[in-house]
Amino acid sequence: MPATVLAVLNPKGGSGKSTLATNLARALQLTGRNVLVVDADPQGTARDWRQTAGDDVDLPPVFGVDRPTLEKDIPKVASAFDVVVIDGAAKAAPMSVSAVKAADVVLIPVQPSAADLWAASDLVDIVTARRSVTEGSPRAAFVVSRQIPGTRLAAGIQEVLDGYGLPVLEARTSQRVAYAEALAAGLSVIDHEPDGKAADEIRAVLAEIEPLLTA
Ligand SMILES: Nc1ncnc2c1ncn2[C@@H]1O[C@H](COP(=O)(O)OP(=O)(O)OP(=O)(O)O)[C@@H](O)[C@H]1O
Ligand SMILES: [Mg+2]
C-alpha cells in the first residue's frame, strides 16, 4: 500500500501550516505509523524543526523538496511509509498545484480573519478543479487555526467558511504559547506538554481527519 499523502496548504504566510504539519506528523507517528514529512517550503521550517530536535529524537524524518514536482517525487518513496505529510509553502502557486496533485487529503489551516480567508480562495479553486477531474480526490477540509477563543472572529468564522464549499473541521487550534515553544524546541506539543490544551487540540484534529486518511 503506498502512503496516504496529507498536504497542509494555504498560500497565506503564518496561517499555521508548519505548526499543524509537524504536530500532526508526530501525532500520526505516535499511532504507530511510519511517517515522512515533506518540506515543500524553501524557508525550510520543517527541516529546521527536525534539525533542532537532533538525530537521537524519535521524530519523523523530514525531506526537502524545493521544486513543484511533488506528484512525481512522492510516489517514488511512498511505498516505504504509511503517511507522507507535506508542509506547504506560502505563495508559490505552482507548488500548491503540485501538492494538490500529490495529495489524498488536503488540510487548509485558516486564521479567523478576512485577509486569511481571501488568500485561501485561490487554493480552494485549485482543489475544486482537481477534484472535478479525479472523481473527488483529494479530500479536503478547512481547519480553523490560531483562533482566540471567546472572540467574535472565532465565533463567526464557521459561517463564513461554509460559503467556500469545503467541510470545516470541528476541531480547531488556538493561539497558544505551547505551539511556538514546541516548534522552537524541535518537539511536538504532545511531547512538550502531553496534558496541555494544545496537545488536546492536535489529538482532536487527528481524530477528526482519521476517516479522511483511511477513506
Ligand atoms: N496556534 C498557534 N499558537 C501560537 N503560535 C503559533 C500557532 N500556530 C503557529 N504559531 C507561530 O506562528 C508562526 C507562524 O506559524 P507557522 O510557521 O506554523 O505558519 P506557516 O503557515 O507555516 O507560515 P509560512 O507560510 O511562513 O510557512 C510560528 O512562529 C509559529 O510558532
Ligand atoms: Mg511554514
Side-chain angles (χ1 to χ4, degrees):
M1 272 281 279
T4 302
V5 181
L6 167 65
V8 182
L9 305 177
N10 187 337
K12 182 78 182 175
S15 55
K17 296 177 288 295
S18 300
T19 299
L20 195 60
T22 53
N23 280 290
L24 283 176
R26 173 62 174 152
L28 283 158
Q29 185 187 38
L30 288 168
T31 69
R33 288 164 163 114
N34 198 2
V35 181
L36 173 70
V37 176
V38 169
D39 184 351
D41 183 356
Q43 280 183 110
T45 308
R47 279 167 269 188
D48 289 343
W49 167 76
R50 187 64 191 83
Q51 212 171 5
T52 303
D55 290 339
D56 302 336
V57 175
D58 191 21
L59 276 183
V62 179
F63 180 72
V65 175
D66 291 331
R67 285 176 305 160
T69 52
L70 296 167
E71 71 276 25
K72 294 197 192 84
D73 299 331
I74 289 177
K76 289 182 196 154
V77 297
S79 63
F81 296 95
D82 300 314
V83 183
V84 175
V85 179
I86 301 173
D87 178 14
K91 301 197 183 97
M95 188 58 102
S96 295
V97 172
S98 174
V100 167
K101 284 185 185 162
D104 299 296
V105 179
V106 173
L107 268 190
I108 307 173
V110 240
Q111 298 189 76
S113 87
D116 285 65
L117 286 168
W118 296 332
S121 76
D122 286 354
L123 174 62
V124 173
D125 290 346
I126 292 169
V127 170
T128 308
R130 178 72 184 165
R131 285 162 61 95
S132 71
V133 298
T134 60
E135 296 175 7
S137 179
R139 302 174 285 282
F142 289 111
V143 50
V144 176
S145 174
R146 314 187 65 176
Q147 71 166 351
I148 301 178
T151 60
R152 213 174 298 165
L153 284 170
I157 179 112
Q158 168 88 39
E159 200 182 332
V160 184
L161 283 173
D162 283 344
Y164 282 75
L166 292 178
V168 184
L169 299 189
E170 265 177 48
R172 297 177 171 198
T173 69
S174 305
Q175 188 64 26
R176 299 185 191 283
V177 176
Y179 286 107
E181 285 176 351
L183 190 69
L187 293 170
S188 76
V189 290
I190 297 173
D191 303 293
H192 178 65
E193 254 180 39
D195 301 325
K197 288 183 176 166
D200 284 346
E201 288 175 349
I202 293 299
R203 284 187 285 254
V205 171
L206 179 57
E208 209 176 337
I209 65 169
E210 279 285 5
L212 299 180
L213 295 174
T214 51

